[in-house]
Amino acid sequence: MKSMIKKTIQNCCGLIPVLGLLVGQFAFGQDTMPDKDWHQSNSDTGIHLEQAYELLKNRKSEKVVVAIIDSGVDYLHEDLRTKIWVNTDEISGNLIDDDKNGYVDDIHGWNFIGFPNGDNVENETLIETRIASAGKNYPGSREMYEDAKRAYHIHKKEAEEKKDLYGKYLSDIETIKSKVDASTQSLEQVIGQMGSLSSVGKLLLNAKKEGKDVDFVESQIREAYAFYSKSLDYYYNPYYDSRHIVGDNITNKEQRSYGNNDVKGPDPSHGTHVAGIIGAIRGNGLGMDGIAENVELMIIRAVPDGDERDKDIDNAIRYAVNNGADIINLSFGKDFSWKKEWVDEAVRYAHRKDVLIIHAAGNSARKLNGNNNFPNKYFERGTLFGPKEAKNWIEVGATTHHFDEGFVANFSNYGKEQVDLVAPGAQIYSTIPNDSYAYFSGTSMAAPMVTGLAALLKSHFPHFSSQELKDIILESVRTVGHEVYQPGGNQKVPLNMLSSTGGILDCGQAVKKALLRSKNI
């Protein structure tokens, strides 16, 4: 998950990069960035957080623990360091499992994709690559195997073609630059004389109209070329195996105490951004404010640059539950699953322990059907072993700061039954490593909006169960009176065709409903 660009081209729930080349067009002419706190405002597109705090100002709160299962978090960030969960039963640095929970020196959480010596998994294959290369050894259905194999060959071929295309673009740009430097001709004149370079020439001319120079275009193309090169080295490389770094037996579900305590990892950009949305320090004048004030952020690293492993997610959820998390945020996902029942069992375990799970719907602009995005709330063995779906699960789509037909983010996955509600997820300003801040986009940013509200409610109404928190959040959404574009096209539909509630997260209404319910208990 290093750059999360893969998560844009594939499915999953990471941020949408500014690099327009990767989705077939430049980012020239994009909207200017909105105000950094637009998503929290009392506007039509905001979550009405100020209203919520006004209603809660005279009410006491208790500490709530939120587990962030992600790429890692920069726990020393200036706007997060006092909000990080601390395992007070563990003595830091003594190399002893003081609390006997199976994890040595897990002060702020745990990293399930590392080795005790400090080595960490950074790059990983995609699940379609693993399934396609497994052949008859794939433990899932034949149908999913065939779908994954088909996707693998299509996407690998696309990556090869894109790498060749951007490699040619780089060569052509060098030719154009050298001709301009060697003559008195303008860029337009040189391009006009080079018909064979018309494609990259048009990019350069369009960029110039937008105030971008040749070097900018070259840097964008070079990043695209590097991405596709990397995708062939790792994402679509059936011979790459990261588990030698971890040193576990990936087929042994009962093996739980592997990994290390490096919860930051090689690149915690994504997880740090998610953490800031949920719980960045409020009112300190730095960067931005998180949604929940009285919160501790437990960090669990289980998501690499590539697709996560079901065994790691199973263990990550169980670690969160066993170590006191009230709420779990999952801002990741993939197109297929290797051992879905493992994750299902962990979700059931969380439900038995009354822990709420919030999951990002994904960025493929497609309709979810319960079998094309994982993990999800539908249990693979539901009819025989209990409920068909997880009652402690909330699925979240993304919205923009435009209160018009483009209100729902054009990248967001959707589903009348599969997605519960939408929340701001495009151009969200939050924390990134090294005391910095940035705008990211993705359903990864929408899910922690809901997680933040759940934590805010839980801290002020600690007697509410996870089911009650879910009911309050979903029953208090703000509906939208106009139709919106269905992601991925120009068809206009009511918002209730894209999610079960047909509404956007509303913190103010949620607190009102919580206050009313609390009085009636």
Side-chain angles (χ1 to χ4, degrees):
M1 191 184 281
K2 182 177 180 181
S3 68
M4 295 305 299
I5 295 173
K6 183 277 297 184
K7 299 292 187 180
T8 301
I9 297 173
Q10 298 298 320
N11 176 26
C12 307
C13 312
L15 50 115
I16 305 298
V18 175
L19 183 58
L21 273 174
L22 296 182
V23 289
Q25 59 185 359
F26 271 109
F28 308 141
Q30 280 191 343
D31 294 337
T32 56
M33 292 300 177
D35 293 339
K36 65 181 184 179
D37 59 353
W38 73 267
H39 57 282
Q40 296 185 0
S41 71
N42 291 335
S43 67
D44 289 331
T45 57
I47 61 174
H48 295 198
L49 184 61
E50 297 169 19
Q51 185 183 54
Y53 271 101
E54 181 64 24
L55 292 167
L56 293 169
K57 63 182 180 181
N58 295 320
R59 191 176 181 90
K60 293 181 180 179
S61 67
E62 295 183 7
K63 192 75 71 177
V64 172
V65 178
V66 174
I68 300 173
I69 301 177
D70 213 290
S71 65
V73 173
D74 181 2
Y75 54 88
L76 296 178
H77 193 288
E78 62 181 3
D79 228 354
L80 294 172
R81 59 173 65 119
T82 62
K83 307 295 283 294
I84 303 300
W85 175 76
V86 177
N87 183 358
T88 56
D89 294 328
E90 195 77 13
I91 299 172
S92 179
N94 69 351
L95 303 181
I96 297 173
D97 181 16
D98 300 289
D99 59 0
K100 303 294 190 293
N101 70 348
Y103 303 95
V104 175
D105 289 346
D106 56 324
I107 302 300
H108 300 304
W110 194 251
N111 171 19
F112 284 100
I113 48 176
F115 191 73
N117 69 359
D119 289 344
N120 286 310
V121 174
E122 180 173 5
N123 301 299
E124 182 58 280
T125 54
L126 298 188
I127 182 62
E128 62 196 55
T129 304
R130 294 174 217 151
I131 293 176
S133 61
K136 295 180 180 180
N137 293 324
Y138 173 55
S141 69
R142 190 68 187 177
E143 181 182 7
M144 185 168 287
Y145 167 73
E146 294 295 341
D147 288 345
K149 184 173 69 170
R150 188 179 307 111
Y152 166 71
H153 288 297
I154 291 173
H155 294 149
K156 183 180 181 182
K157 182 178 179 182
E158 288 176 350
E160 291 169 340
E161 291 173 348
K162 293 285 187 177
K163 178 184 176 182
D164 291 343
L165 174 65
Y166 293 129
K168 183 177 185 305
Y169 278 0
L170 288 174
S171 177
D172 291 348
I173 286 178
E174 287 299 322
T175 300
I176 291 172
K177 287 171 63 176
S178 64
K179 286 183 177 293
V180 172
D181 292 341
S183 68
T184 58
Q185 292 180 309
S186 66
L187 178 66
E188 290 82 356
Q189 289 172 323
V190 169
I191 291 174
Q193 296 172 6
M194 301 177 69
S196 64
L197 303 180
S198 58
S199 295
V200 74
K202 288 178 181 178
L203 289 176
L204 293 173
L205 294 180
N206 288 336
K208 188 174 182 180
K209 290 178 182 178
E210 296 288 341
K212 311 294 184 182
D213 59 19
V214 174
D215 290 340
F216 170 81
V217 177
E218 183 179 10
S219 69
Q220 295 275 281
I221 294 174
R222 196 170 296 282
E223 184 175 346
Y225 178 79
F227 164 73
Y228 285 108
S229 297
K230 181 178 181 179
S231 70
L232 293 170
D233 289 340
Y234 298 107
Y235 305 153
Y236 304 112
N237 182 357
Y239 303 106
Y240 178 72
D241 179 16
S242 70
R243 296 314 279 198
H244 74 278
I245 298 174
V246 181
D248 70 320
N249 178 357
I250 194 63
T251 66
N252 183 358
K253 179 185 182 300
E254 303 307 318
Q255 185 181 14
R256 303 199 182 279
S257 300
Y258 59 94
N260 64 41
N261 69 345
D262 179 9
V263 296
K264 183 177 180 180
D267 186 350
S269 299
H270 186 267
T272 303
H273 201 272
V274 168
I277 294 170
I278 298 169
I281 302 168
R282 294 182 58 80
N284 63 353
L286 297 173
M288 42 76 69
D289 290 343
I291 294 172
E293 187 167 33
N294 202 357
V295 65
E296 291 183 345
L297 305 174
M298 178 188 295
I299 311 167
I300 306 175
R301 183 170 182 266
V303 185
D305 182 4
D307 280 338
E308 63 281 354
R309 304 258 183 171
D310 290 338
K311 176 185 175 181
D312 298 332
I313 301 308
D314 168 24
N315 282 318
I317 292 173
R318 291 177 184 276
Y319 178 93
V321 173
N322 290 337
N323 288 279
D326 300 289
I327 302 160
I328 300 174
N329 188 90
L330 308 179
S331 285
F332 59 82
K334 54 184 183 290
D335 291 347
F336 306 98
S337 181
W338 186 271
K339 277 285 189 178
K340 185 182 188 316
E341 63 269 26
W342 291 0
V343 181
D344 287 351
E345 289 171 15
V347 173
R348 283 193 176 98
Y349 181 65
H351 182 259
R352 292 198 298 272
K353 298 295 185 178
D354 198 29
V355 177
L356 182 63
I357 297 176
I358 290 105
H359 181 246
N363 302 328
S364 296
R366 70 182 174 194
K367 182 178 180 179
L368 300 182
N369 61 19
N371 201 39
N372 60 356
N373 188 46
F374 300 89
N376 57 51
K377 61 184 177 182
Y378 301 104
F379 294 135
E380 190 169 65
R381 299 178 179 176
T383 55
L384 295 177
F385 296 87
K388 293 182 180 180
E389 64 180 75
K391 302 302 182 182
N392 60 328
W393 186 285
I394 300 178
E395 191 81 7
V396 190
T399 60
T400 71
H401 66 282
H402 297 291
F403 197 62
D404 54 20
E405 296 90 342
F407 179 62
V408 176
N410 61 7
F411 55 78
S412 180
N413 285 345
Y414 58 93
K416 183 175 177 60
E417 302 298 331
Q418 293 77 14
V419 175
D420 294 301
L421 78 168
V422 293
Q427 297 175 317
I428 305 301
Y429 190 77
S430 185
T431 49
I432 60 172
N434 302 317
D435 294 341
S436 298
Y437 304 82
Y439 286 94
F440 286 173
S441 293
T443 57
S444 277
M445 286 62 251
M449 300 282 175
V450 180
T451 299
L453 172 58
L456 180 64
L457 292 173
K458 184 69 174 179
S459 68
H460 288 276
F461 305 93
H463 54 282
F464 283 165
S465 67
S466 61
Q467 183 65 63
E468 288 176 306
L469 291 175
K470 176 181 177 178
D471 290 344
I472 289 170
I473 291 170
L474 299 189
E475 291 171 6
S476 61
V477 298
R478 191 170 67 254
T479 57
V480 176
H482 61 270
E483 292 189 331
V484 298
Y485 288 128
Q486 180 173 290
N490 295 320
Q491 180 183 357
K492 293 182 183 179
V493 298
L495 187 53
N496 62 14
M497 294 299 293
L498 306 179
S499 66
S500 62
T501 62
I504 182 176
L505 185 73
D506 191 311
C507 298
Q509 291 301 314
V511 169
K512 287 181 181 179
K513 190 170 286 292
L515 288 167
L516 182 61
R517 181 175 292 214
S518 183
K519 290 178 181 178
N520 293 332
I521 293 178

